[in-house]
Amino acid sequence: MEKQGVLNNKNIVGSSLVHKLAMFVVLFGFWMVLSGRTETKFIVYGLITALVTTWVTYPLLLVPNKDGSKQYFVFGVSIPKFIMYFFWLMWQLVLANIDVLLATTAQELDIDPKVVRFYFRADNPMASVVLANSITLTPGTVTINVTDDGLYEIHALTRGAAAGVLDGSMQKKVADLYGEKFDFAVAEGEE
Amino acid sequence: MIEAFGLNSLRELIAAIFMLAGLVFFIGSAIGMLRLPDFYSRIHASGNSETLGCMLSFIGLMIYEGPTLTAVKMAFAFLIVFMANPIGSHILGKAAYKSGHPVWTLESKGAKKLVGLEKQDHSADEPVGHIRQKEDK
């Protein structure tokens, strides 16, 4: 792989300068929250630390897509959209958690464990990561395998959880979040 | 009235309610861990209920702490759990799946008894957690 300056890399989606600036601001904010001290000395330490951390880690936070034609910044996502998605996910988490709690503490276990499969393809690898993580985070469903061609194998604990994964609402949200086209299909052999 | 429970303000009462709600999910997680039949199902109990239990407990602690820097640090701690917990669950599940651990379903041997579709007749010395799936390829 030929060595290439990150600033001159034309494959990066979005502006690398904006990414770096945002990262620097967030890291400095994190420093301020953790230190909580406002003397000049500590602020200067924080600025230097944030600068060096940004400079060292930015190239590591670029992920290429499948054919390597584009490089996506890991945190390159619209913040308001992401916060909306986060709160939606929280709400789903509460609903699903109550469902699983009732199923596992019922007098007779009300479970129907099985593996369900669906396809979800996205150019941005972070969309796959966020989808897989969201599915695992939602109680009653655990992502147990994701293949390169977009096949997701999900272990679902209850009937409701399996239906929830296969109805495609979460996949739609993730596709919208990353500005991808919605490419979702339930694998053959599933109802 | 709330002084009777050793609480001094409405804020502490709300904090206590959140922490108790978190406790409910932690206990549910422990019950699920003991009752569910196989490895994959138990990942659900261990990994997932914990996230909401953790979230509610931390919200309770943040309310108790009030608007200080410590509360923000608690929020960070919770967000890290929120990101890292599913990764742990996923890796455990993936390792089991790739090594060919069978998935317990309702068609498995003894399954109908466990979920109450058939009359229970297992003896006391056989824990329900030990029902194994028939090896089928």
Side-chain angles (χ1 to χ4, degrees):
Chain A
M1 212 172 102
E2 70 184 277
K3 209 167 163 150
Q4 202 171 13
V6 174
L7 266 179
N8 307 324
N9 193 337
K10 292 285 184 291
N11 299 331
I12 298 172
V13 177
S15 155
S16 73
L17 203 65
V18 172
H19 293 160
K20 279 178 176 169
L21 205 66
M23 230 181 114
F24 174 74
V25 170
V26 168
L27 283 173
F28 182 64
F30 190 57
W31 169 281
M32 288 308 288
V33 166
L34 288 190
S35 92
R37 307 190 48 173
T38 49
E39 290 96 327
T40 319
K41 186 176 135 187
F42 292 105
I43 291 182
V44 170
Y45 282 172
L47 286 171
I48 294 169
T49 312
L51 199 70
V52 171
T53 312
T54 307
W55 177 61
V56 170
T57 56
Y58 181 67
L60 305 174
L61 292 174
L62 293 169
V63 282
N65 66 353
K66 212 181 291 166
D67 56 5
S69 62
K70 283 181 188 165
Q71 292 208 306
Y72 290 96
F73 181 48
V74 169
F75 305 116
V77 60
S78 150
I79 304 294
K81 268 187 180 175
F82 192 77
I83 290 173
M84 289 297 289
Y85 177 73
F86 184 79
F87 281 106
W88 178 81
L89 185 66
M90 286 284 181
W91 181 237
Q92 295 298 308
L93 210 118
V94 173
L95 292 182
N97 222 319
I98 291 167
D99 185 46
V100 168
L101 192 70
L102 292 178
T104 51
T105 53
Q107 187 122 40
E108 306 286 359
L109 280 175
D110 182 20
I111 57 170
D112 183 10
K114 60 184 171 197
V115 177
V116 296
R117 294 176 179 81
F118 68 83
Y119 286 96
F120 176 79
R121 293 183 194 87
D123 193 46
N124 191 338
M126 280 311 286
S128 309
V129 173
V130 167
L131 179 61
N133 234 359
S134 304
I135 288 171
T136 311
L137 203 56
T138 314
T141 47
V142 169
T143 313
I144 52 178
N145 200 15
V146 181
T147 62
D148 282 340
D149 53 340
L151 174 68
Y152 286 66
E153 293 180 285
I154 314 290
H155 186 265
L157 184 65
T158 60
R159 274 173 213 94
V165 145
L166 293 180
D167 78 351
S169 58
M170 184 180 274
Q171 289 83 345
K172 182 104 180 61
K173 291 256 178 193
V174 173
D176 285 348
L177 180 66
Y178 281 91
E180 302 276 346
K181 67 177 200 300
F182 182 51
D183 184 1
F184 166 74
V186 176
E188 277 170 42
E190 309 285 347
E191 65 269 58
Chain B
M1 188 203 117
I2 54 175
E3 282 83 1
F5 297 100
L7 301 167
N8 300 317
S9 64
L10 189 64
R11 200 180 74 196
E12 287 185 15
L13 178 73
I14 296 170
I17 289 170
F18 268 101
M19 282 188 245
L20 281 173
L23 193 66
V24 168
F25 286 103
F26 278 131
I27 292 173
S29 175
I31 292 172
M33 197 71 191
L34 293 171
R35 286 190 77 193
L36 288 171
D38 81 329
F39 177 78
Y40 297 104
S41 313
R42 284 176 178 175
I43 293 177
H44 294 288
S46 78
N48 292 330
S49 311
E50 234 170 48
T51 319
L52 192 61
C54 205
M55 180 172 101
L56 290 168
S57 307
F58 268 101
I59 289 174
L61 284 173
M62 280 161 70
I63 291 171
Y64 183 75
E65 180 63 32
T68 62
L69 216 52
T70 316
V72 183
K73 286 177 193 171
M74 283 172 183
F76 277 122
F78 156 67
L79 284 176
I80 286 167
V81 170
F82 203 78
M83 279 189 293
N85 202 344
I87 298 172
S89 300
H90 167 66
I91 292 297
L92 282 173
K94 187 173 180 175
Y97 195 64
K98 292 240 157 152
S99 61
H101 191 79
V103 178
W104 188 96
T105 62
L106 283 185
E107 281 75 46
S108 307
K109 189 163 166 272
K112 291 209 161 68
K113 284 177 192 163
L114 185 65
V115 296
L117 295 174
E118 216 170 84
K119 222 170 147 43
Q120 294 264 4
D121 62 344
H122 65 82
S123 55
D125 59 353
E126 183 199 5
V128 281
H130 285 198
I131 293 166
R132 291 267 186 268
Q133 193 201 23
K134 201 170 65 206
E135 289 287 336
D136 48 0
K137 289 286 177 290

